[in-house]
Amino acid sequence: MTQARGTRGRIATVTAALTAAGGLLLVTAAPASAEVKSTCGTYICVATAYQGRGYVQDITVTTRDGLPGTLRAFVGDYRGSKANVSRWRFVVNREIRAYPRLAVCGGLDRGGRVIENHCVMIP
């Protein structure tokens, strides 16, 4: 009898732990309605996660050659930059109104010069 209670207790503990872990994954995962769109230019690739036409979650800018530079991201009134990296994820998490389409852009500067600006168009 004592052994059966111990087994049931362990099963309940394991079940609770798995439920909590599954809940944590749901909280950290992107919503099911989020879409990702990406495109590459000559020197950089720009990817964005967005919901609908106007809510931008994040912008990821990556250099194609793997060399660092000052990476920038901009959309609407959001402006972000990061120096001496070859890849960076800019967390935007805001609604931005644009008509008829929204341009989510990334840029690369090296040596004080703009090398490339490249945009992803959200319909």
Side-chain angles (χ1 to χ4, degrees), residues 14-71:
V14 169
T15 302
L18 290 174
T19 303
L24 183 60
L25 288 174
L26 291 175
V27 169
T28 58
S33 63
E35 296 181 54
V36 176
K37 191 168 183 183
S38 65
T39 183
C40 292
T42 305
Y43 298 98
I44 60 172
C45 292
V46 179
T48 184
Y50 63 97
Q51 294 178 31
R53 274 185 24 141
Y55 189 85
V56 177
Q57 290 179 307
D58 62 56
I59 305 166
T60 302
V61 183
T62 308
T63 61
R64 293 186 74 181
D65 58 10
L67 299 175
T70 300
L71 297 180

